[in-house]
């Protein structure tokens, strides 16, 4: 895994940053996350919007 962070400031002084993460395909394959693996694809509809809000509310997290 390689992580690269690049940061600086725009001419007006506003900070900016960019994060680049590279992971070897073999590592993703072992975790079942490689795009060529069937388990890495979405196979059903996404949950409704209220589902996440309800889960956060039950955990006491407010947004």
């Amino acid at each position: 895994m390689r992580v690269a962070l690049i940061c600086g400031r725009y001419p007006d002084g506003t900070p900016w940053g960019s994060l680049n993460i590279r992971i070897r395909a073999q590592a993703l394959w072992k975790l079942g996350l490689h795009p060529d693996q069937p388990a890495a694809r979405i196979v059903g509809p996404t949950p409704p919007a209220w589902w996440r809000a309800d889960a956060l509310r039950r955990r006491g997290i407010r947004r």
Side-chain angles (χ1 to χ4, degrees):
M1 184 165 113
R2 175 186 276 179
V3 178
L5 174 62
I6 303 168
C7 57
R9 292 194 178 269
Y10 290 112
D12 66 355
T14 305
W16 62 269
S18 176
L19 183 64
N20 187 336
I21 301 172
R22 294 180 178 249
I23 301 172
R24 291 186 178 180
Q26 296 89 346
L28 293 175
W29 193 273
K30 291 177 185 177
L31 297 171
L33 299 172
H34 193 276
D36 292 339
Q37 288 176 294
R41 293 191 188 95
I42 298 173
V43 294
T46 58
W50 62 263
W51 185 83
R52 177 172 164 73
D54 187 55
L56 293 174
R57 188 171 34 257
R58 290 177 188 218
R59 293 184 62 195
I61 299 172
R62 297 183 188 190
R63 284 200 147 204

